[in-house]
């Protein structure tokens, strides 16, 4: 597949090289460059940090990089996440508390940390507990802090028995929280949530927050104009990439300026209806597909 002017993709490739070479400062500069280009924290998580972690994991799995190199790369990414998190400006407080952790026995916590960051930015009070919280301690904390939602990440399948125990124990609390599952092992088992008595499962960061909201009953909050524009921008970019087009090709086809397309894709352009129609026509999709609230196509 061609990856023409896709600047995020290029940043990701450079970031991957940097972390694999252990160049922390270079990694930071690339993230900084992304921010200067107008990408937000979420673009950087979704299009740079996550794909990099997956590629690092693959390289490790294939024996191309050693454990120490993987650890170094992962630490650089955690450092960038810490930096990006410090810049989060949460939406107004929702008044709901979520506790996020990986299941007992599971040392993977980067996915859980990202989920926690998405909740933070959505206005939740977030208790991030890190990796491998012992089940009984988690239950006690949830009881004591009146947690509304517990989000548990499970990456390796051998932790599933402990996940089941934890979910079962949380359900016995006098004021039981809603329980949301996620992570590689959870995601590979379609009926897992139902089977073990959890309330929901989500496969990615955006759906984690949507599902969390739905579970505690705040799913139907009005979406701000800025969120609509970001969502529309993401869809335009996704469909354009699927077509293998660069921004100039889309601009030509829609009879719009390339800088306009760039602003749209970054969620920074308050489009006229006429421009949305032109974009939908050029991309060959129905208008409603660009305007619907869901990120899924
Ligand atoms: C970094 C890493 C580690 C680090 C973890 C460091 C840390 N602080 O987290 C360390 C070195 C500790 C580690 C250890 C091991 N690892 Co490891 N690790 C990885 C690696 C390279 C990256 C993980 C990562 O950060 N991914 C990026 C995040 C963002 O992705 P994610 O976790 O999937 O999260 C996304 C979604 O799943 C979802 N999500 C995640 N959590 C949640 C939670 C909720 C509630 C929701 C809604 C959504 C959600 O949102 C995220 C964004 O989309 C992966 C490779 C890979 N492909 O992922 C292997 C990988 C996960 N590890 C693997 C393995 C096998 C291990 C070990 C067992 C290896 C060993 N033989 O020792 C050990 C575990 C030992 C143990 N005690 O159990 C396998 C897992 C295979 C499997 N499914 O069983 C992988 C896939 C590598 C591979 N290809 O074989 N690992």
């Amino acid at each position: 597949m061609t990856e023409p002017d896709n600047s995020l993709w290029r940043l990701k490739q450079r970031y991957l090289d940097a972390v694999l070479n252990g160049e922390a400062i270079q990694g930071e500069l690339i993230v900084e460059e992304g921010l200067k280009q107008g990408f937000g924290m979420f673009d950087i998580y979704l299009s740079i940090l996550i794909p990099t972690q997956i590629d690092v994991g693959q390289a490790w799995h294939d024996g191309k990089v050693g454990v120490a190199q993987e650890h170094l790369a992962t630490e650089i990414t955690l450092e960038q996440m810490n930096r990006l998190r410090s810049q989060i400006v949460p939406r107004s407080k929702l008044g709901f508390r979520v506790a996020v952790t990986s299941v007992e026995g599971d040392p993977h916590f980067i996915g859980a940390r990202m989920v926690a960051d998405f909740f933070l930015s959505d206005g939740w009070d977030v208790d991030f507990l890190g990796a491998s919280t012992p089940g009984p301690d988690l239950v006690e904390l949830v009881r004591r802090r009146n947690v509304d939602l517990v989000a548990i990440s499970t990456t390796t399948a051998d932790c599933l028995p402990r996940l089941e125990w934890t979910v079962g124990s949380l359900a016995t609390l006098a004021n039981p929280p809603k329980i949301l599952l996620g992570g590689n092992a959870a995601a590979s088992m379609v009926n897992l949530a139902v089977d073990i008595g959890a309330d929901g499962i989500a496969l990615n960061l955006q759906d984690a927050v949507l599902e969390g909201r739905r579970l505690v009953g705040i799913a139907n909050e009005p979406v701000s104009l800025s969120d609509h524009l970001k969502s529309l921008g993401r869809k335009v970019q996704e469909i354009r990439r699927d077509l293998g087009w660069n921004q100039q090709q889309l601009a030509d086809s829609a009879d719009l300026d390339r800088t306009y397309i760039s602003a749209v894709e970054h969620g920074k352009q308050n489009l006229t209806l006429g421009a949305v129609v032109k974009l939908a026509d050029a991309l060959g999709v129905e208008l409603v597909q660009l305007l619907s609230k869901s990120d899924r196509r």
Side-chain angles (χ1 to χ4, degrees):
M1 199 180 131
T2 50
E3 290 287 353
D5 84 324
N6 187 342
S7 49
L8 264 176
W9 183 82
R10 275 199 254 115
L11 286 172
K12 179 249 152 185
Q13 289 305 108
R14 288 172 48 212
Y15 182 79
L16 175 64
D17 285 346
V19 299
L20 284 178
N21 288 320
E23 293 167 359
I25 292 176
Q26 184 60 17
E28 177 166 338
L29 289 174
I30 293 167
V31 167
E32 208 48 49
E33 210 178 308
L35 292 171
K36 284 207 186 98
Q37 285 178 24
F39 296 111
M41 174 184 133
F42 298 138
D43 299 313
I44 291 174
Y45 272 30
L46 296 170
S47 301
I48 299 182
L49 304 186
I50 295 178
T52 293
Q53 281 299 106
I54 291 171
D55 285 359
V56 169
Q58 193 56 43
W60 170 48
H61 195 246
D62 297 344
K64 291 180 184 154
V65 307
V67 173
Q69 217 178 334
E70 174 278 312
H71 279 22
L72 182 55
T74 297
E75 287 302 321
I76 294 173
T77 288
L78 280 168
E79 185 56 35
Q80 290 316 307
M81 287 168 61
N82 290 341
R83 232 165 47 79
L84 289 167
R85 183 176 323 114
S86 69
Q87 297 174 17
I88 292 178
V89 182
R91 288 159 48 157
S92 53
K93 278 203 176 287
L94 292 170
F96 285 86
R97 179 171 299 278
V98 58
V100 187
T101 181
S102 65
V103 67
E104 182 173 357
D106 192 340
H108 300 93
F109 71 81
I110 296 177
R113 180 68 262 190
M114 288 186 175
V115 167
D117 292 347
F118 267 47
F119 275 113
L120 193 64
S121 129
D122 194 46
W124 294 64
D125 295 317
V126 177
D127 290 342
F128 178 66
L129 312 178
S132 186
T133 307
D137 296 277
L138 174 63
V139 174
E140 175 53 17
L141 178 131
V142 167
R143 188 192 62 75
R144 215 166 13 90
R145 290 178 64 82
N146 279 324
V147 170
D148 301 289
L149 177 72
V150 182
I152 309 177
S153 178
T154 310
T155 300
T156 50
D158 54 357
C159 295
L160 289 172
R162 273 178 274 197
L163 175 67
E164 185 166 3
W165 183 91
T166 303
V167 169
S169 303
L170 286 167
T172 64
L173 285 172
N175 192 8
K178 297 292 181 189
I179 303 171
L180 175 65
L181 306 181
N184 271 338
S188 62
M189 305 177 77
V190 183
N191 292 322
L192 180 71
V194 175
D195 290 349
I196 69 173
D199 300 289
I201 196 160
L203 306 187
N204 58 46
L205 302 177
Q206 299 99 317
D207 286 351
V209 172
L210 289 178
E211 186 62 0
R213 278 176 163 251
R214 189 186 69 78
L215 291 177
V216 303
I218 46 171
N220 293 327
E221 260 211 351
V223 178
S224 70
L225 172 64
S226 156
D227 286 345
H228 272 299
L229 294 176
K230 282 185 193 147
S231 158
L232 187 140
R234 275 198 298 272
K235 283 184 201 152
V236 167
Q237 187 180 60
E238 218 178 293
I239 302 169
R240 172 178 68 73
R241 283 184 192 161
D242 285 352
L243 291 170
W245 284 357
N246 60 28
Q247 289 182 341
Q248 188 61 58
Q249 285 167 305
L250 174 57
D252 292 344
S253 175
D255 195 20
L256 294 166
D257 196 79
R258 195 201 63 79
T259 53
Y260 190 89
I261 302 292
S262 170
V264 168
E265 290 190 356
H266 291 164
K268 303 226 181 294
Q269 182 66 47
N270 191 357
L271 299 86
T272 62
L273 183 58
V276 186
V277 171
K278 280 182 177 183
L279 283 171
D281 285 348
L283 293 166
V285 297
E286 296 293 329
L287 198 57
V288 67
Q289 211 175 318
L290 293 183
L291 296 175
S292 70
K293 265 196 279 178
S294 157
D295 270 345
R296 289 247 171 105
R297 290 187 290 125

